């Protein structure tokens, strides 16, 4: 399915959620829909040149950044949203989708992408293009120690390369550590910390709003055209730990894996969140469209109690602060 900076000393996403729930059918049209646009606030000052040179600890090694980076190459697609938080004139991004149908033009990402004076795509479908990166000529490259291991030498020949230690950092769960590292590289530590603090504040606010549901089981699934995947408890700390939600007490929650309607019925959660990967084009099929016609689906507790919520799975179940902030707002507005 189709994949889709505000540099303001804080992470800014304003969401309008049009519905609190999807009804007993859990349809794509009836879920928590949202449009995203950055808030209008004054830009923060650029870091001073006197902050450089500076030493950066990069995957166990020390790298010296001689001068303030003005062009930043991003070799791993997983860091795209993190880069959106910062204020630099130019970025070269490796994107998780095909550039020809770029989600950078979507209502979610375009306001952030437009903040850069120059944005170049130096890789698509999660694969960096070394020729494009070389032609872009970045001042510094941010790369993943595992994701980009096969091209380590080539990247380091193009520009000084900061390596995110993916052996120690679970990027999906701990993107805040990546944000802190990029902030150090750019001399924008305060901007990074403001974004992290605002995300934590949003979680705490959401947790308070959902306190009435403490003890009720909540299950997230990833909905695709021909498959549905249960999202493991550990893969979604932004919701289970951050919002204080209770996962179903079932061994099926231990790993992210494909699930059948019968398997879903066996877990039978109190609340069911459907993360659609065809959210932006609802004419495309989703397996749950067929499930909703069955008596097994209609017998689910969440369905009978009108506790099924449809959200944009590409964002809410993805990696990074923009999508996860959307997810928190969508879940809180649907369940409160």
């Amino acid at each position: 399915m189709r994949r889709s900076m505000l540099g303001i000393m804080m992470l800014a996403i304003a969401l309008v959620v049009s519905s609190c729930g999807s009804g007993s059918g859990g349809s794509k049209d009836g879920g928590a829909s949202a449009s995203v646009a950055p808030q209008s606030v004054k830009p923060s000052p650029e870091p001073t040149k006197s902050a450089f040179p500076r030493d950066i600890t990069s995957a166990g090694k020390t790298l010296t950044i001689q001068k303030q980076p003005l062009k930043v190459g991003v070799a791993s697609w997983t860091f795209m949203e993190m880069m959106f938080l910062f204020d630099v004139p130019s970025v070269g991004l490796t994107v998780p989708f095909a550039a020809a149908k770029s989600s950078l033009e979507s209502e979610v990402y375009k306001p952030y992408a437009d903040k850069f004076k120059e944005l170049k795509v130096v890789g698509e479908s999660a694969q960096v293009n070394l020729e494009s990166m070389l032609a872009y000529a970045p001042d510094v490259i941010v790369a993943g120690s595992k994701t980009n291991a096969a091209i380590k030498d080539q990247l380091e020949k193009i520009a000084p390369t900061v390596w995110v230690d993916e052996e120690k950092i679970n990027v999906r769960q701990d993107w805040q550590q990546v944000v802190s590292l990029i902030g150090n590289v750019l001399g924008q530590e305060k901007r990074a910390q403001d974004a992290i603090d605002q995300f934590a504040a949003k979680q705490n606010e959401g947790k308070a709003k959902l306190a009435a549901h403490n003890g009720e089981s909540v299950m997230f699934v990833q909905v695709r055209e021909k498959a549905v995947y249960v999202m493991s408890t550990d893969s979604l700390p932004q919701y289970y730990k951050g919002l204080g939600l209770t996962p179903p007490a079932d061994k099926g929650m231990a790993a992210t894996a494909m699930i059948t309607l019968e398997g879903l019925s066996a877990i039978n959660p109190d609340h069911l969140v459907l993360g659609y990967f065809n959210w932006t084009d609802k004419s495309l099929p989703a397996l749950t469209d067929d499930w909703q016609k069955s008596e097994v689906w209609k017998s689910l507790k969440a369905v009978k109690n009108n506790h099924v919520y449809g959200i944009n799975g590409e964002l809410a179940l993805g990696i990074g602060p923009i999508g996860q902030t959307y997810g928190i707002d969508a879940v809180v507005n649907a369940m409160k």
Side-chain angles (χ1 to χ4, degrees), residues 7-139:
I8 317 291
M9 298 177 65
M10 68 180 195
L11 173 61
I13 298 177
L15 294 155
V16 178
V17 180
S18 65
S19 172
C20 289
S22 64
S24 62
S27 70
K28 288 168 285 184
D29 294 327
S33 63
S35 59
V36 182
Q39 296 173 357
S40 177
V41 294
K42 295 179 180 179
S44 61
E46 291 287 331
T48 62
K49 294 182 179 179
S50 62
F52 296 86
R54 56 173 50 207
D55 292 335
I56 303 296
T57 300
S58 171
K61 297 181 180 180
T62 299
L63 176 70
T64 300
I65 307 296
Q66 295 293 343
K67 60 182 181 178
Q68 179 183 336
L70 301 179
K71 298 181 67 176
V72 182
V74 180
S76 173
W77 66 273
T78 58
F79 308 149
M80 183 184 75
E81 284 195 11
M82 291 71 149
M83 196 66 230
F84 280 159
L85 302 183
F86 295 97
D87 186 10
V88 292
S90 175
V91 294
L93 296 177
T94 300
V95 295
F97 34 71
K101 299 180 179 179
S102 178
S103 291
L104 295 175
E105 295 296 319
S106 70
E107 64 175 352
V108 174
Y109 290 138
K110 184 172 172 52
Y112 295 89
D114 286 350
K115 286 296 174 181
F116 300 107
K117 293 180 181 178
E118 178 185 40
L119 189 154
K120 296 288 187 182
V121 174
V122 296
E124 56 183 313
S125 300
Q127 298 296 317
V128 64
N129 184 305
L130 287 171
E131 291 184 358
S132 296
M133 184 71 84
L134 178 61
Y136 173 63
D139 296 327

Side-chain angles (χ1 to χ4, degrees), residues 172 199 203 206-207 210 218-220 231-247 273 311-332 335:
R172 173 177 288 278
F199 186 82
Q203 286 182 310
K207 187 174 183 178
L210 297 182
V218 183
M219 183 177 180
F220 292 79
M231 299 298 296
S232 71
T233 304
D234 289 342
S235 70
L236 297 176
Q238 68 269 31
Y239 306 124
Y240 288 122
K241 292 182 180 179
L243 295 180
L245 300 180
T246 303
V273 183
I311 62 176
N312 185 331
E314 289 182 282
L315 288 173
L317 306 180
I319 300 173
I322 295 173
Q324 292 184 14
T325 297
Y326 157 82
I328 287 173
D329 281 336
V331 170
V332 169
M335 291 184 60

Side-chain angles (χ1 to χ4, degrees), residues 240-307:
Y240 288 122
K241 292 182 180 179
L243 295 180
L245 300 180
T246 303
D250 189 280
K251 63 181 181 180
M253 299 296 298
T256 296
M258 192 180 299
I259 191 170
T260 63
L261 177 55
E262 290 70 24
L264 176 60
S265 177
I267 297 176
N268 202 15
D270 295 311
H271 301 263
L272 178 61
V273 183
L274 304 177
Y276 288 102
F277 272 64
N278 62 346
W279 184 261
T280 55
D281 186 352
K282 296 179 177 63
S283 67
L284 299 174
L287 182 56
T288 51
D289 295 342
D290 292 331
W291 286 8
Q292 291 165 17
K293 302 172 185 176
S294 73
E295 293 303 316
V296 175
W297 174 269
K298 295 174 184 178
S299 70
L300 294 174
K301 285 189 296 184
V303 173
K304 290 193 290 186
N305 293 324
N306 198 33
H307 290 165

